[in-house]
Amino acid sequence: SRIPLGENRWAESADAIVVIGDESTSKGYRRVHSHVHMIDNSVLETGPVDLGTKDFAAARRHFLILCGAGLLRRGLDLALEAFAVEEDLHLWVCGMLQADHDQGFVRAFRKELFHTPNIHPLGWVDIYSAAFSRLTAECAFSVYPTCTEGISGSVLNAMGRGMIPLVSSKAGISVDGFGWDLGDCSVSTIRSQIRQAAETSAADLRERAQA
């Protein structure tokens, strides 16, 4: 059975807090506790990636969103609304669309998910599969406008396959020098950033992916 979450004082009463995340993740805890320790999340090894031969000129029009359950919290709604307008850019949705508690979300965004030509709902995809390897070879970017995360394992695993991240600060990953920050995560900002990414030269994208 599910135990409902209510107000609690777990953070204040702990001897110390260990956080999977970066400074943006930990600063909320630092307001209530002086002993906050950060550790990194890990990346799953899914095989070698040859970025030297990847066709970034074609891949720069393809974006991947990789997420688990809790689709609203992951910002899938914002990504769908942005890509529904940017009709020449493709969004490949790898997430738990079949989860019981996300069915309201899926119904609300049925048009964007299932009746928009440039949005491709794949559902859950095994990151160890050949299908995932083919998908990450076709896509240049991982987009993730999440509102709450530690260090996102989904983004890290996409980066492990050479995806260039476009993420909110709440993903817990600094993308300085190689990715794009989605700022306030408004639909207009996401549109601006994915358009800028798609119009970046293939040579620049190869360098960003390698970085």
Side-chain angles (χ1 to χ4, degrees):
S1 63
R2 294 183 179 179
I3 301 175
L5 282 176
E7 185 177 357
N8 62 74
R9 301 187 66 82
W10 295 339
E12 295 92 330
S13 62
D15 294 322
I17 300 173
V18 178
V19 177
I20 297 178
D22 64 357
E23 285 294 340
S24 68
T25 312
S26 65
K27 66 182 180 181
Y29 293 101
R30 294 189 191 281
R31 289 196 289 266
V32 298
H33 207 295
S34 59
H35 297 289
V36 179
H37 307 280
M38 295 181 295
I39 60 175
D40 290 334
N41 202 351
S42 58
V43 179
L44 299 176
E45 177 57 57
T46 57
V49 180
D50 185 2
L51 296 177
T53 60
K54 182 168 179 172
D55 184 359
F56 281 96
R60 63 186 172 181
R61 310 196 78 77
H62 295 268
F63 297 72
L64 168 73
I65 183 165
L66 177 66
C67 61
L71 303 176
L72 187 66
R73 180 165 59 89
R74 314 292 185 179
L76 179 57
D77 56 322
L78 303 171
L80 292 174
E81 290 182 20
F83 278 88
V85 181
E86 300 293 336
E87 298 177 355
D88 61 325
L89 303 181
H90 293 263
L91 178 65
W92 299 83
V93 182
C94 299
M96 295 183 66
L97 302 177
Q98 64 274 60
D100 289 344
H101 59 275
D102 278 325
Q103 292 314 296
F105 179 98
V106 172
R107 287 192 296 271
F109 287 90
R110 180 165 297 279
K111 178 181 178 181
E112 290 82 359
L113 279 168
F114 305 113
H115 303 288
T116 304
N118 63 312
I119 296 176
H120 314 281
L122 302 179
W124 182 254
V125 176
D126 182 356
I127 66 172
Y128 293 104
S129 67
F132 187 69
S133 294
R134 290 192 297 270
L135 181 62
T136 53
E138 183 174 353
C139 299
F141 308 103
S142 167
V143 60
Y144 202 60
T146 181
C147 70
T148 177
E149 207 79 33
I151 295 178
S152 170
S154 295
V155 175
L156 290 182
N157 288 327
M159 288 170 62
R161 296 293 311 172
M163 302 288 93
I164 302 166
L166 292 88
V167 298
S168 69
S169 62
K170 302 301 183 183
I173 297 171
S174 174
V175 295
D176 289 346
F178 61 91
W180 277 267
D181 189 321
L182 294 178
D184 62 2
C185 281
S186 65
V187 172
S188 61
T189 299
I190 295 172
R191 288 182 61 193
S192 174
Q193 295 294 68
I194 62 176
R195 176 58 57 188
Q196 181 181 344
E199 293 175 354
T200 301
S201 72
D204 188 357
L205 293 180
R206 194 180 313 278
E207 290 181 2
R208 286 172 178 265
Q210 289 169 340

